């Protein structure tokens, strides 16, 4: 009964793409937005947030600063986006800072569906988009962090696809102009990597289609001219406010410092050996489909289709950029993952049509993962029920610290996920779509149970509380950092936000009418009056003082 009804629903939806979008958004938006602003800023978020906040305060859009010092590591396009949101909403909180990530993910996946549809068909194109959004790294980590990478990856992937589509149509001038314009936008987000990816994509396409002479055409020169014009205007305006030489040197350093040559040999060897396994791990469960390439004739089938071959060759050409860069972070691979999914998802469909052995093993492995994930929803109420009967001690219950004691929610989500696992087993023709929707529900369960636990156990929460307190109690009064004070960007952001002005380092001898934030090292032997104390990561203690 349930299986028949689900099949009818999927069949009806396949005829109405608009309803597919509505259904997906109805599930995805709650999963992506629930508790989005709860966590304190993490990893690189404080840098992006603080640079944008100081730009917002100063209105100097070509002079990025970080704690008052010039910031050269990244061009400012993403900061401009954040400043625009600050001014439109009147808010500078975590939800607003992370909202661009949600927008980027939705735009990126929508672009995948629309761009891939002419080559793969609507259903397979939608599956690729849904698969990317529900990879482990995207869905359960980067989709709730306010970072640049999804924007950069989306622009880069669009340039990859524009090379193919416009090249196939022979629209060379449009292809070079559009892709170099996208490269310029990517450069204004993350710097030199965008230029490298553009060069690789053009080489792969022109060599694969035996049109290498196009690389020396006037159309290519026109595209390069567009890139240089956009960046030339930017750097001209930038040079009126900052050192252009330092900016270019820093951008080069940011790109070159991640290579094997810049890292210790032992770390480089370990990274290179483990990279394929880490790649599979970070983008589970969809990377398991790559094992379909082991089937006899699978690689020949892929290479026999020009569009799939382009994606596969481009994937293999870009991959060494990261495989040989030990400082690579998984989110840097977000433009690479759709290339791989565009190959392995149609391959899975082809192998499933002929019931080849890799598909049977893959389906069994995926079903096993779904069953394990579903049963995990019973862990909190199960452990608590055992504890109430004296069946377990306090040790096992410690893992539930902060997890809501909401057994109706646990059972409800368990029932929905169990249904998803059952439909995955039964609906052979729709297995990958069921898998994508199952993962969105799993993310909703993550929001409901894991985010509250993190708020109860994360050390960053009291650090944020202390920084906000310092900012509020010093608002309207002069506050500086003593020279030599190493304040993390996350605390600097919260203090500056609450005060409504940039927190800077003092350039003059201490003055009794000024408040100072300092650590014990910078304070030295100075006489002071202690006003407040803030403890942060690594056991460091900061003091809010007046210096005599």
């Amino acid at each position: 009964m349930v299986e028949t009804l689900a099949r009818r629903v999927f069949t009806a939806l396949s005829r109405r793409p608009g309803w597919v979008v509505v259904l997906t958004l109805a599930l995805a938006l709650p999963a992506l937005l629930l508790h989005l602003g709860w966590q304190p800023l993490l990893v690189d978020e404080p840098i992006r947030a603080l640079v944008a906040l100081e730009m917002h305060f100063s209105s100097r859009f070509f002079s990025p600063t970080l704690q008052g010092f010039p910031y050269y590591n990244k061009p400012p396009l993403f900061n401009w986006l954040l400043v625009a949101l600050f001014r439109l909403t009147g808010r500078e909180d975590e939800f607003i800072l992370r909202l661009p990530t949600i927008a980027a993910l939705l735009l990126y996946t929508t672009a995948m569906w629309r761009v891939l549809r002419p080559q793969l068909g609507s259903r397979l194109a939608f599956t690729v988009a849904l698969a990317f959004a529900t990879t482990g790294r995207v869905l359960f980590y980067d989709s709730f962090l306010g970072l640049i990478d999804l924007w950069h990856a989306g622009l880069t992937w669009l340039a990859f696809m524009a090379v193919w589509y416009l090249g196939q149509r022979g629209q060379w001038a449009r292809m070079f102009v559009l892709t170099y314009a996208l490269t310029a936008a990517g450069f204004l987000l993350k710097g030199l990597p965008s230029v490298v990816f553009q060069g690789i994509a053009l080489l792969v396409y022109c060599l694969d289609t035996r049109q290498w002479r196009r690389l020396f055409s006037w159309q290519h020169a026109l595209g390069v001219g567009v890139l240089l014009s956009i960046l030339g205007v930017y750097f001209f305006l930038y040079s009126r406010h900052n050192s252009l030489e330092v900016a270019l040197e820093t951008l080069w350093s940011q790109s070159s410092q991640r290579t094997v040559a810049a890292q210790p040999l032992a770390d480089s060897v370990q990274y290179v050996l483990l990279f394929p396994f880490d790649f599979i791990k970070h983008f589970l469960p969809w990377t398991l489909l790559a094992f379909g390439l082991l089937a006899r004739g699978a690689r020949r089938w892929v290479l026999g289709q020009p569009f799939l071959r382009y994606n596969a060759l481009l994937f293999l050409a870009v991959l060494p950029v990261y495989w040989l860069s030990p400082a690579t972070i998984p989110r840097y691979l977000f433009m690479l993952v759709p290339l791989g999914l565009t190959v392995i998802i149609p391959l899975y469909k082809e192998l499933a049509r002929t019931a080849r052995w890799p598909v049977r093993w893959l389906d069994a492995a995926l079903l096993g993962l779904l069953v394990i994930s579903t049963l995990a929803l019973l862990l909190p109420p199960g452990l608590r029920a055992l504890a109430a009967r004296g069946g377990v001690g306090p040790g096992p219950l410690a893992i539930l610290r902060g997890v809501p004691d909401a057994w109706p929610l646990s059972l409800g989500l368990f029932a929905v996920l169990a249904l998803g696992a059952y439909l995955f087993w039964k609906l052979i023709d729709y297995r990958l779509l069921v898998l994508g929707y199952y993962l969105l529900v799993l993310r909703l369960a993550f929001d409901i149970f894991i985010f509250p636990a993190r708020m109860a156990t994360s050390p960053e929460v009291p650090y944020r509380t202390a920084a906000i307190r310092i900012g509020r109690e010093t608002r309207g009064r002069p506050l500086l950092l003593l020279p030599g004070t190493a304040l993390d960007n996350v605390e600097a952001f919260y203090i500056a936000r609450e005060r409504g002005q940039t927190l800077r380092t003092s350039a003059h001898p201490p003055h009794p009418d000024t408040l100072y934030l300092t650590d014990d090292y910078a304070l030295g032997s100075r006489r002071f009056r202690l006003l407040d104390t803030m403890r942060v990561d690594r056991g460091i203690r900061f003091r809010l003082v007046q210096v005599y």
Side-chain angles (χ1 to χ4, degrees), residues 481-487 517-526 528 538-543 545 547:
L481 296 174
L482 279 181
T485 301
L487 183 66
L517 191 63
T518 179
D519 54 29
D520 292 337
Y521 174 80
L523 187 59
S525 59
R526 293 183 176 94
F528 63 91
R538 304 181 307 278
I540 298 174
R541 179 177 60 181
F542 287 89
R543 301 174 191 265
V545 301
V547 178

Side-chain angles (χ1 to χ4, degrees), residues 150-469:
L150 279 167
W151 285 98
H152 180 254
L155 291 174
T156 303
W157 181 83
L158 280 174
F160 290 163
M161 294 300 103
V163 168
W164 164 266
Y165 279 102
L166 297 177
Q168 289 295 101
R169 297 172 185 171
Q171 298 175 346
W172 296 102
R174 182 179 296 182
M175 185 266 275
F176 283 115
V177 168
L178 176 60
T179 58
Y180 273 105
L182 290 170
T183 299
F187 184 98
L188 293 176
L189 283 168
K190 291 198 73 173
L192 288 172
S194 295
V195 180
V196 175
F197 299 139
Q198 169 74 349
I200 292 175
L202 291 176
L203 281 172
V204 166
Y205 180 77
C206 290
L207 293 178
D208 180 49
T209 57
R210 296 181 175 85
Q211 301 188 75
W212 58 269
R213 290 183 180 85
R214 296 291 180 180
L215 297 173
F216 305 96
S217 65
W218 67 267
Q219 293 98 330
H220 192 183
L222 177 63
V224 173
V226 169
L227 172 69
L228 294 178
S229 298
I230 294 173
L231 297 186
V233 170
Y234 163 70
F235 281 118
F236 171 74
L237 296 173
Y238 187 90
S239 66
R240 301 179 66 182
H241 305 276
N242 294 279
S243 169
L244 186 57
E245 181 180 358
V246 174
L248 293 175
E249 287 178 356
T250 305
L251 290 175
W252 173 259
S253 173
Q254 285 284 297
S255 300
S256 61
Q257 69 182 4
R258 303 185 185 278
T259 62
V260 168
Q263 305 296 324
L265 179 60
D267 293 346
S268 297
V269 171
Q270 181 181 15
Y271 172 84
V272 169
L273 292 176
L274 294 179
F275 178 84
F277 306 100
D278 286 336
F279 187 98
I280 292 172
K281 176 188 70 176
H282 285 299
F283 298 102
L284 285 171
W286 298 97
T287 42
L288 293 178
L289 301 185
F291 288 100
L293 292 166
L294 300 177
R296 180 180 299 176
R299 296 179 296 280
R300 185 170 60 252
W301 182 83
V302 169
L303 295 176
Q305 302 186 61
F307 182 67
L308 298 188
R309 183 174 68 243
Y310 170 72
N311 279 268
L313 293 176
L314 187 53
F315 179 93
L316 294 174
V318 174
L319 190 64
V321 174
Y322 294 110
W323 200 335
L324 301 177
S325 302
T328 290
I329 300 171
R331 62 177 179 267
Y332 297 169
L333 305 169
F334 286 166
M335 81 290 294
L336 197 58
V337 174
L339 300 176
L341 294 174
T342 300
V343 173
I344 62 177
I345 287 178
L347 176 61
Y348 172 91
K349 180 187 176 184
E350 175 66 18
L351 295 175
R353 186 180 61 82
T354 54
R356 304 287 290 277
W357 70 267
V359 168
R360 294 195 298 271
W361 285 97
L362 285 170
D363 287 347
L366 290 169
L367 182 59
L369 288 175
L370 267 58
V371 169
I372 292 170
S373 301
T374 301
L375 292 175
L377 267 293
L378 298 179
L379 183 64
L383 278 178
R384 288 190 171 110
L386 286 173
R389 298 177 181 179
V392 295
L397 283 178
I399 65 173
L400 300 181
R401 182 186 169 196
V403 176
D405 185 11
W407 63 265
L409 270 177
S410 291
L411 293 179
L413 288 167
F414 169 80
V416 174
L417 292 176
L419 174 62
Y422 174 78
L423 294 177
F424 178 86
W425 175 40
K426 287 293 187 179
L427 300 181
I428 297 174
D429 295 341
Y430 297 99
R431 270 182 177 158
L432 297 187
L433 287 175
V434 171
L435 175 60
Y437 288 123
Y438 176 97
L439 291 168
L440 288 176
V441 176
L442 191 63
R443 166 61 192 269
L444 192 60
F446 181 94
D447 295 341
I448 292 171
F449 293 105
I450 303 301
F451 273 131
R454 287 187 174 182
M455 294 297 292
T457 60
S458 172
E460 288 85 6
V461 174
Y463 306 157
R464 174 176 63 180
T465 302
I468 290 174
R469 185 185 70 248

